[in-house]
């Protein structure tokens, strides 16, 4: 079928032409009337002529269609357009295109930490971690003074600031590593360091500030002399930040004894991290110029400014209590606060460009902070549960041997592998200078959701040890803080149901943004090129999706062999299926798809799991397909592909047009939905890798700060794990003697009896005693005097 080959090779029109010619030839052979064949051939030739002669095509086809299509296409506000145009397109564009270049993915080089960064981790960050006691911080309601001093003196609040301004100028990879390690130790410290290096004054100054603003503020921020916060959210504007009521009015006034052109600001903000202790307030507000003192429009739009907290009328200092996690967070307000126009970030020339600034900066920052926080929490959970499942025994067996516990451990391990792979892929793009807005939205939403699943599983595994707070409970505050990560920087419900696919469908699609731009400008010629390119794109992906669906992607070209190859072919297959499904949904629903948030959410799921699966594939290939990672790689790919297919099935089950859904199902899943979740056997194998002191456990928990072995919590759990594994052979001897009737059941008394009978050597008996003592210490929980205040 050469026409299918032509279509699959992105020659859709000639594929359709070949198809028509083949039908006519077959009709002629079958004895069809010559006049009918001739007439059909003439129509086919006319179609070819119209398509190839662009002025003719525009006049006869595109121009009449243009007004109809303009009415169908969704209308965009300026804020929506700024959001859609923010950032760059990278691997997400390849996935949306339906034929991703896996060779490009495999050959992309990720930046590793340099020696300066490694030395910082060893000599500065680890000593800071040693100072931190998460339980003590939570009960005190703040970091200890020595921790605050260390954070300021080490420059951790200036990780993104260039060295020329006194900052650390760390790579995105290093910033993520710092936050992840702190997250594994103390959530409050992680958030405190994360926020100044994410969306905030330093980031905005770097990209948009004037030279004078940079020289004044950046060195002070880098040294921790100034504590920044950024005030965006307010009571009436949460996820819909563009509806903010905070405003500024351009006017003349007196500032520090001088008559200057400035603005009078009024605001009420909430949920602002570091606001209670901030010395400089980044503020987003809508700026108006009713007297046209700037010579332009009255409504200038969202603007960002830097306001010293010492300015008359600025109110800060109160605190919120975010689920008992005591990072500094609170409201700020101001009424008729007058400041010069020079306080606008970038000066008066940047008035009204605040929304664009925020969207551009968020396009990158969202891929570092919360994914790092989530990765640290997930890796901590993996390390704790793996050790606990070995140390804790019930019914004379480590609980990690029970299938129900193995199911949880396997999923913890698989998701830990997946989100760290995605973190690495995303940071590689950021360190190459990309700002992939859709990818970072995926990372924010799906890594925090993975954290939710993992920590729920972890609490199931550790049981009562996870619900009694105190110095021995390593997971309590990570679990307690879960909803915070889910909510901030764009609530996950909104991010999934509206942002990822809504932005991706336009930003990442090879043709839609061009169509919208042409329609907005009324440019028929540009629209003609984009529209017919889009038609060809749809036809090509439909053919590829159907062909790969029939063959299981067997003929997809992939840059690898061995274990990874079939999964790479699956990604090629499902990318074509997703692209065709996305175009079908957009084509049949039009602007109404914007309101079909459940459908949009399922398309977001499909795109997200394509991205996460791609990251897993790259991680495995970059490592050289090692045997130690083979099972967790397979688990992660099987999970990603199953989630991806289920998202497509959910889309098909709920498309409003049932005839369209029926036809689309036959194209995407011609043999039915056949993808299965990881098997029990696979999950069990992966779980076993987490409970041993082996390569996989080290890989899945490499970012975790591991404290001294005598410290409550993880330290003593690690010591118990080592002791239990060291005593394993001696315990096996003891159990063998019990099975043979040489010793009664039990452990403590039998050690002495086995020693007396010569079954155990003195060293073996001591190893069991040490292990039992360490086990008791590790599984103990905290208790307090009745009058102890709880937080």
């Amino acid at each position: 079928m050469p026409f299918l080959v032509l279509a699959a090779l992105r020659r859709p029109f000639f594929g359709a032409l070949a198809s028509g010619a083949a039908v006519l030839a077959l009709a002629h052979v079958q004895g069809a009337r010559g006049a009918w064949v001739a007439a059909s051939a003439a129509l086919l030739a006319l179609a070819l002529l119209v398509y190839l002669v662009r002025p003719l095509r525009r006049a006869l086809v595109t121009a009449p269609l243009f007004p109809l299509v303009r009415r169908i296409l969704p209308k965009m506000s300026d804020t929506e357009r700024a959001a859609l145009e923010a950032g760059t397109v990278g691997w997400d564009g390849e996935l949306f295109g339906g034929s991703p270049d896996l060779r490009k993915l495999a050959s992309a080089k990720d930046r590793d930490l340099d020696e300066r960064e490694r030395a910082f981790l060893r000599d500065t960050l680890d000593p800071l971690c040693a100072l931190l006691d998460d339980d003590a911080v939570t009960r005190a309601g703040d970091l200890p003074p020595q921790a605050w001093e260390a954070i300021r003196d080490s420059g951790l609040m200036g990780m993104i600031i260039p060295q020329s301004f006194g900052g650390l100028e760390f790579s995105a990879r290093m910033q993520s590593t710092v936050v992840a390690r702190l997250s594994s130790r103390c959530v409050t410290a992680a958030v405190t360091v994360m926020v100044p290096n994410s969306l905030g004054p330093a980031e905005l100054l770097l990209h948009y500030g004037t030279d004078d603003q940079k020289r004044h503020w950046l060195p002070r921020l880098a040294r921790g002399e100034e504590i920044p916060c950024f005030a965006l959210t307010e009571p009436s504007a949460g996820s819909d930040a563009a509806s903010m009521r905070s405003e500024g009015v351009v006017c003349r006034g007196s500032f520090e004894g001088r008559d200057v052109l400035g603005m009078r600001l009024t605001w009420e903000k909430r949920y602002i991290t570091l606001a209670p202790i901030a010395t400089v307030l980044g503020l987003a507000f809508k700026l108006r110029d009713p007297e046209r003192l700037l010579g332009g429009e009255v409504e200038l739009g969202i603007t960002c400014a830097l306001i010293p907290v010492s300015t008359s009328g600025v109110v800060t200092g109160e605190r919120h209590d975010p689920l008992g996690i005591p990072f500094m967070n609170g409201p700020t307000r101001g009424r008729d606060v007058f400041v010069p126009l020079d306080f606008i970030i970038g000066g008066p020339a940047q008035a009204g460009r605040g929304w664009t600034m925020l969207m551009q900066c968020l396009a990158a920052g969202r891929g570092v902070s919360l994914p790092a926080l989530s990765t640290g929490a997930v890796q901590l959970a993996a390390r704790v549960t793996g050790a606990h499942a070995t140390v804790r025994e019930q019914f004379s067996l480590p609980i990690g041997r029970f299938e129900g516990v193995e199911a949880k451990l396997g999923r913890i391990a698989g998701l830990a592998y997946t989100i760290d792979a995605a973190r690495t892929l995303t940071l590689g793009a950021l360190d190459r200078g990309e700002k992939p807005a859709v990818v970072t939205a995926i990372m924010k939403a799906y890594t925090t959701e993975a954290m939710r699943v993992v920590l729920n599983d972890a609490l199931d595994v550790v049981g009562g040890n996870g619900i009694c707070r105190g110095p021995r409970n390593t997971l309590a505050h990570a679990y307690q803080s879960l909803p915070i990560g889910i909510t901030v920087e764009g609530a996950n419900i909104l991010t999934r149901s509206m942002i990822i696919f809504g932005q991706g469908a336009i930003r990442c699609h090879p043709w839609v943004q061009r169509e919208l731009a042409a329609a907005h400008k009324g440019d028929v010629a540009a629209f003609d090129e984009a529209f017919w390119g889009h038609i060809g794109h749809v036809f090509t992906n439909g053919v590829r999706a159907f062909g790969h669906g029939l063959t299981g992607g067997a003929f997809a070209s992939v840059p690898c062999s061995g274990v990874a190859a079939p999964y790479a072919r699956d990604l090629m297959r499902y990318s074509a299926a997703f692209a065709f499904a996305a175009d079908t949904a957009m084509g049949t629903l039009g602007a109404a798809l914007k309101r079909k948030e459940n459908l949009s959410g399922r398309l977001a799921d499909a795109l997200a799991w394509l991205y996460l699966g791609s990251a897993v594939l790259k991680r495995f290939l970059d490592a050289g397909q090692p045997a130690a990672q083979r099972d967790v790689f397979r688990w992660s790919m099987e999970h990603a592909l199953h989630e991806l297919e289920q998202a497509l099935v959910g889309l098909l089950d709920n498309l409003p047009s049932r005839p369209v859904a029926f036809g689309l199902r036959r194209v995407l899943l011609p043999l039915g939905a056949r993808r299965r979740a990881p098997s029990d056997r696979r999950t069990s194998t992966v779980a076993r890798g987490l409970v041993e002191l082996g390569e996989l456990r080290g890989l899945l928990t490499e970012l975790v700060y591991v404290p001294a072995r005598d410290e409550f919590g993880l330290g003593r759990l690690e010591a118990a794990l080592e002791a239990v594994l060291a005593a394993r052979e001696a315990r096996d001897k003891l159990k063998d003697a019990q099975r043979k009737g040489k010793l009664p059941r039990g452990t403590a008394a039998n050690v002495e009896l086995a020693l007396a009978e010569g079954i155990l050597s003195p060293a073996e008996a001591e190893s069991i005693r040490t292990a039992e003592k360490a086990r008791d210490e590790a599984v103990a929980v905290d208790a307090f005097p009745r009058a102890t205040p709880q937080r």
Side-chain angles (χ1 to χ4, degrees), residues 512-705:
V512 169
Q513 192 167 22
R514 291 188 238 181
E515 290 172 312
L516 286 172
H520 180 69
K521 295 175 183 176
D523 188 338
V524 177
F527 181 79
D528 175 82
E529 181 180 350
F531 178 76
W532 290 104
H534 193 166
I535 294 296
H537 171 77
V538 173
F539 185 73
T540 296
N541 280 327
V543 170
R544 294 182 69 254
F546 182 69
H548 286 328
L550 281 177
T551 63
F555 299 105
S557 176
V558 296
C560 54
S561 57
V563 173
Y567 297 107
R569 286 192 283 269
D570 284 331
L571 287 174
M572 295 293 289
R573 172 200 170 181
Y574 283 106
S575 176
F578 163 75
F580 188 66
D583 272 312
T584 302
M586 288 189 288
T588 56
L589 290 168
L593 182 57
K594 186 177 180 179
R595 298 185 297 275
K596 297 289 185 181
E597 294 170 20
N598 288 333
L599 296 182
S600 179
R602 291 184 178 97
L603 286 164
D605 290 340
L607 178 60
W609 285 106
L610 270 171
Y611 183 77
L612 296 171
S614 301
V616 169
L617 176 68
K618 177 168 174 56
R619 179 178 190 168
F620 189 59
L621 292 178
D622 284 351
Q625 303 194 43
Q629 295 183 31
R630 200 166 293 162
D631 287 307
V632 73
F633 163 74
R634 284 175 165 146
W635 190 99
S636 299
M637 288 303 304
E638 288 163 4
H639 179 72
L641 293 167
H642 177 256
E643 292 290 326
L644 199 169
E645 188 176 80
Q646 287 303 301
L648 294 176
V649 168
L651 174 74
L652 294 169
D653 288 344
N654 291 279
L655 275 175
S657 173
R658 300 319 299 155
V660 169
F662 179 86
L664 185 58
R665 192 183 297 271
R666 270 64 196 167
V667 174
L668 304 186
L669 304 169
L671 302 179
R674 308 178 72 179
R675 182 64 56 187
R676 299 289 178 262
S679 67
D680 291 347
R681 178 177 295 180
R682 177 93 67 219
T683 302
S684 176
T685 302
V686 172
R688 285 197 293 273
L690 198 59
V691 299
E692 302 287 345
L693 284 174
E695 183 178 339
L696 183 62
R697 183 172 187 262
L699 176 73
L700 297 180
T701 64
E702 63 183 352
L703 297 176
V704 174
Y705 173 77

Side-chain angles (χ1 to χ4, degrees), residues 42 55 69 115 127-128 154 213 236 242 277 297 327 385 400 417 441 471 626 696 713 724 748:
V69 174
E115 184 51 43
L128 170 60
S154 65
Q213 287 173 341
S236 62
I277 60 167
E297 300 293 326
F327 61 90
T385 54
Y417 189 83
L696 183 62
V724 166

Side-chain angles (χ1 to χ4, degrees), residues 25-342:
L26 180 62
H28 182 69
V29 169
Q30 295 294 325
R33 288 186 177 184
W36 182 88
V37 173
S40 299
L43 288 173
L44 197 61
L46 179 61
L48 175 62
L49 180 67
V50 170
Y51 179 80
L52 292 179
V53 181
R54 292 187 180 183
L56 193 61
R57 184 180 71 194
R58 283 199 294 268
L60 296 179
V61 183
T62 307
L65 279 175
F66 190 49
L68 174 65
V69 174
R70 288 187 77 182
R71 287 197 297 270
I72 294 173
L73 290 174
K75 301 293 188 294
M76 285 191 295
S77 66
D78 290 339
T79 53
E80 286 177 313
R81 186 171 287 106
L84 288 171
E85 293 173 355
T88 60
V89 177
W91 186 244
D92 46 345
E94 294 276 342
L95 296 174
F96 236 105
S99 182
D101 186 350
L102 293 179
R103 286 173 178 80
K104 181 191 294 185
L105 176 73
S107 62
K109 300 300 181 186
D110 296 327
R111 185 191 184 284
D112 204 354
L113 302 183
D114 61 30
E115 184 51 43
R116 179 177 70 96
E117 291 169 334
R118 293 181 187 279
F120 186 92
L121 291 177
R122 181 185 63 247
D123 301 334
T124 303
L125 190 67
D126 282 350
L128 170 60
C129 287
L131 283 175
L132 297 168
D133 179 334
D134 202 16
D135 182 71
V137 167
T138 302
R139 293 184 185 279
D142 194 4
L143 295 170
Q146 61 268 36
W148 276 111
E149 183 180 357
I151 288 170
R152 287 192 180 96
D153 292 349
S154 65
L156 278 169
M157 287 189 162
M159 290 193 290
I160 63 172
I161 297 175
Q163 294 183 69
S164 58
F165 288 104
L168 293 174
E169 199 175 349
F170 283 157
S171 63
R173 180 73 176 266
M174 177 60 173
Q175 294 169 45
S176 175
T177 301
V178 167
V179 173
R181 184 159 298 182
L182 283 172
S183 171
S184 75
R185 180 62 168 169
C186 176
V187 177
T188 299
V191 173
T192 299
V193 168
M194 176 182 83
V195 168
N197 293 288
S198 186
L199 177 62
E203 179 83 359
L204 293 167
L205 284 167
L206 282 171
H207 293 288
Y208 302 103
T210 65
D211 289 341
D212 285 345
Q213 287 173 341
K214 290 177 182 178
R215 282 193 294 268
H216 176 81
W217 288 111
L218 291 177
R220 291 169 170 80
L221 291 169
R223 293 192 297 266
E225 293 175 11
E226 301 281 0
I227 304 296
C229 69
F230 191 80
L232 176 62
T233 304
E234 54 189 56
S236 62
S239 298
D240 183 15
S243 67
M244 68 178 67
R245 297 176 184 173
S246 299
E247 71 167 6
V249 178
V250 178
C251 59
R252 299 202 69 86
S254 176
F255 186 80
E256 295 181 348
R258 296 177 292 119
D259 182 63
V260 298
L261 183 61
M263 49 193 174
R264 197 166 300 281
L265 303 169
T266 297
W267 71 89
E268 183 177 356
K269 304 286 188 176
R270 64 181 183 182
Y271 310 148
I272 311 305
T273 299
L274 296 183
I277 60 167
T279 60
V280 58
L281 172 71
L283 183 68
F285 55 94
K286 289 182 176 177
L287 184 62
R288 300 174 60 249
D289 185 10
E291 299 179 41
R292 299 184 187 270
L293 296 175
L294 298 180
E297 300 293 326
V298 172
E299 301 293 338
L300 296 173
I302 294 174
T303 301
C304 296
L306 286 183
I307 316 294
V309 171
S310 59
T311 304
S312 177
V314 176
V315 179
T316 61
E318 293 179 321
R319 292 181 66 176
H320 299 310
D321 182 0
L323 289 174
I325 307 301
F327 61 90
M328 291 293 168
N329 182 277
T332 174
R333 56 189 176 274
R335 185 172 182 83
D336 293 332
V337 176
F338 182 80
V339 295
L341 285 178
D342 288 344

Side-chain angles (χ1 to χ4, degrees), residues 339-419:
V339 295
L341 285 178
D342 288 344
F343 281 24
I344 295 173
I345 296 175
Q350 294 293 339
R353 296 198 66 242
W355 189 247
T356 298
M357 293 179 182
L358 294 172
M359 291 300 98
Q360 290 287 354
C361 291
L362 191 62
R366 193 163 45 189
V368 178
S369 53
L370 286 167
L373 193 80
S374 301
T375 302
V378 166
Q379 291 200 5
L380 175 65
R383 194 164 188 104
V384 169
T385 54
H388 182 88
T390 302
V391 170
R392 177 70 165 163
E393 289 190 355
Q394 291 290 278
F395 309 105
S396 300
L397 282 175
I399 63 170
R401 301 272 187 90
F402 295 96
E403 286 190 352
V405 174
E406 281 186 338
K408 301 292 185 181
L409 292 174
R411 183 160 63 177
I412 289 170
L415 290 177
Y417 189 83
T418 298
I419 70 166

